[in-house]
Each structure stands twice: as C-alpha cells, then as structure tokens.
Amino acid sequence: MPTENKERAREIMNVATALFAQHGYSGVSVRDICSKLDVNCSTISYYFGGKKGLYMGILKAQFEAYENALNTIMSDNPNPREELLALCDRLGEIHAMCPHLSVITSRECCNPRPEYVAALSEHEAKYRGGHLAELVRSCQRQETFNHHLNPSY
C-alpha cells in the first residue's frame, strides 16, 4: 500500500476508533465516520471492506499496541514477580498508548460482537489464555504473591 494510502487508512482508523469508543459499534455509522473526515462513504469499503472490516482492524491495532508494551515488559523482566511489578507500574502508560481499548472492551463485555470475540481470542492465544492470570499463578507458586487471590479475577 502506498504511503499516502497508509496515512489515509491510519487517519480513518484514528477517527473511527474514537467514535466506536464513544458511541459503540451500533452507535456509529459509516456516514458518521466519513462526515468527520469529509470523505466519500465508499472510502471505508475501499480501505477496509466495510464497517466490520474497519472495526476488526481497529481491534487488532488496539490489541497490538497493548501486546507491544506487554512484550517489552516481558523481555525486560524474566522473573514473574518483577514482571508483575513492572506491569503494574506501567499500566497507566500502557493504557495511554491504547486509550480506547479499555472503553471498547467495557462496551463489548455486555454483548460482545463476533469481531471483538475473534480479536480477543487471537490476543489471548498469544498469551496462553491470559498473561496476567498466569503471572499471578507463577508468583503464587513462588510464594511471592497472596495465595487467596483468584488469578481469574
């Protein structure tokens, strides 16, 4: 994809991400997105194959930003306890890098769309079904973390 097209796609995703976070998937139309950008409605189909493709692209991008931060923490802290502490220390920074992910996730928890389920499943598969829960379990096994805490929560 030429640079100009990549820039346009990124611009569309940025605007659409904020709109989906604010209004939810059902509360945003292709027309809403295109009017904010002052582009033709066929632009979404051209770049993403439609609203669902755009939403899936947004979800993957948001999870990827989170994963990049998590992977950096994992590589810098081979000890589970240190990794958990670093993750807690940098949680605000991670959310600042992908601020819409938690809002979109909160909206999706009540009635998750298939696109969200697919993107979340792909993300969780990379981390054996939940990296944070596994970190807590590791720390509990090492007796450096409260045994009464349920890692699933």
Side-chain angles (χ1 to χ4, degrees):
M1 186 182 286
T3 304
E4 183 180 309
N5 287 351
K6 287 180 184 179
E7 301 266 337
R8 174 59 82 178
R10 189 177 359 264
E11 182 183 9
I12 292 167
M13 286 182 69
N14 288 340
V15 167
T17 300
L19 287 171
F20 285 133
Q22 186 176 7
H23 303 289
Y25 181 86
S26 298
V28 177
S29 69
V30 169
R31 187 176 310 276
D32 295 332
I33 297 164
C34 292
S35 69
K36 285 265 189 198
L37 294 162
D38 196 28
V39 297
N40 187 297
C41 286
S42 63
T43 305
I44 302 300
S45 292
Y46 175 78
Y47 285 100
F48 302 99
K51 182 178 170 182
K52 286 182 182 181
L54 172 59
Y55 193 58
M56 185 59 131
I58 287 168
L59 293 171
K60 285 184 175 190
Q62 290 290 301
F63 280 119
E64 187 177 295
Y66 180 80
E67 290 164 7
N68 289 341
L70 187 58
N71 291 340
T72 299
I73 291 169
M74 288 168 61
S75 66
D76 290 347
N77 299 284
N79 175 311
R81 184 175 188 281
E82 297 303 316
E83 184 181 336
L84 185 59
L85 290 171
L87 181 60
C88 291
D89 281 347
R90 295 189 52 205
L91 203 53
E93 179 184 325
I94 292 168
H95 284 283
M97 289 188 316
C98 43
H100 300 293
L101 181 59
S102 59
V103 177
I104 290 171
T105 297
S106 296
R107 287 185 174 282
E108 289 286 349
C109 284
C110 297
N111 189 19
R113 297 195 48 76
E115 298 83 9
Y116 182 81
V117 172
L120 180 62
S121 296
E122 187 178 309
H123 165 72
E124 286 185 338
K126 293 176 186 174
Y127 298 99
R128 299 174 309 282
H131 185 71
L132 183 58
E134 186 54 39
L135 270 181
V136 170
R137 284 187 200 96
S138 293
C139 290
Q140 287 174 328
R141 285 192 295 273
Q142 293 175 357
E143 298 185 6
T144 59
F145 205 80
N146 186 327
H147 283 55
H148 301 291
L149 180 71
N150 182 340
S152 299
Y153 295 130

